[in-house]
Amino acid sequence: MIKAVVFDKDGVLLDSEAEYDRRRKVFFAEQGIDDSAFPDFYGSNNDEIWRTVEPVDEARRAELFENFIQRFKNEPMVYADYIYPEAEPALRAIRKAGYMTALASSSPHAYIDKFLAAAAFDALFDYVVSGEECARHKPFPDVYLNAFSALGVEPGEVIVVEDSPKGIAAAKAAGAYVIARKVPSFPDIDQTLADERITTLEGVLPRVLAL
């Protein structure tokens, strides 16, 4: 019996990954950093990204990250511009049907809080957790196991809504049923590990409301 639906943030509730990618590319170009050999950072956490940029020199890595933050200090993410219009109605319908909801994201908690404030989604989640609060990031299952424990549910009692290959792998490793939301700005992203795919968050509703 499903008792909870747990959501990732970027790509699932808002189409923000393209903007993150744009900002990194702007910064790399301004710093003279050749990013041509960098992997796809979709769904990655800050530690993984900046270790790729500077794998050896920790002080230089920290300096680059701080410079990146300062570069866009006066251009904050306007999260409201990227939120999927169906996100709030879908969340409200799921909760009205009696399911618990949680947010489990790789983003730093400060970014999650800014998103929740911008979207006015604070009351729509029973629990919120950042990957930075866990020992290991996605694709390890830690952030999802944390959420399941906080909600008091078993993995088999949870549906996870994800988008990135790392996030899907993390949710599957945690033992959950995984629904992948297709991302308009990254239509070719590999979601083959998911149990099913949907075009919008409204696609979650038939599954949970039929249970």
Side-chain angles (χ1 to χ4, degrees):
M1 179 183 294
I2 299 299
K3 296 181 180 179
V5 184
V6 179
F7 295 83
D8 177 40
K9 177 174 71 71
D10 295 298
V12 171
L13 298 172
L14 68 167
D15 193 3
S16 49
E17 290 284 1
E19 175 59 13
Y20 295 147
D21 189 57
R22 183 194 71 81
R23 290 177 179 228
R24 286 191 295 266
K25 288 184 179 301
V26 167
F27 180 75
F28 294 155
E30 292 175 348
Q31 296 289 315
I33 296 172
D34 180 7
D35 65 345
S36 60
F38 289 172
D40 181 359
F41 289 133
Y42 192 102
S44 298
N45 60 79
N46 281 332
D47 183 63
E48 180 180 359
I49 291 168
W50 294 98
R51 282 184 182 277
T52 300
V53 176
E54 175 45 70
V56 178
D57 189 332
E58 292 187 15
R60 175 61 175 159
R61 185 188 311 145
E63 179 184 15
L64 284 169
F65 180 57
E66 179 59 28
N67 289 344
F68 176 75
I69 297 298
Q70 292 302 317
R71 167 62 178 81
F72 293 100
K73 184 177 181 179
N74 295 323
E75 300 176 47
M77 280 285 291
V78 183
Y79 289 107
D81 291 347
Y82 301 98
I83 298 169
Y84 295 125
E86 80 276 9
E88 182 177 358
L91 283 165
R92 291 192 181 279
I94 291 167
R95 292 179 63 82
K96 185 177 180 180
Y99 298 96
M100 293 181 288
T101 54
L103 180 62
S105 171
S106 294
S107 295
H109 220 303
Y111 294 4
I112 296 173
D113 291 342
K114 289 178 181 178
F115 159 72
L116 292 174
F121 281 4
D122 301 69
L124 297 181
F125 295 105
D126 296 290
Y127 183 67
V128 174
V129 59
S130 161
E132 291 196 338
E133 300 171 54
C134 304
R136 300 175 299 178
H137 284 284
K138 301 174 184 178
F140 294 100
D142 301 35
V143 70
Y144 284 114
L145 294 175
N146 179 299
F148 302 168
S149 177
L151 294 175
V153 295
E154 296 297 322
E157 299 173 326
V158 184
I159 289 174
V160 168
V161 187
E162 260 288 358
D163 63 307
S164 72
K166 288 184 176 69
I168 294 168
K172 291 295 293 182
Y177 185 91
V178 184
I179 297 177
R181 192 212 191 279
K182 296 180 183 178
V183 183
S185 58
F186 289 87
D188 297 326
I189 190 169
D190 183 7
Q191 298 179 326
T192 53
L193 284 180
D195 295 291
E196 64 179 279
R197 298 176 72 189
I198 56 175
T199 303
T200 76
L201 289 176
E202 293 167 338
V204 179
L205 301 182
R207 172 160 293 278
V208 297
L209 298 181
L211 295 173

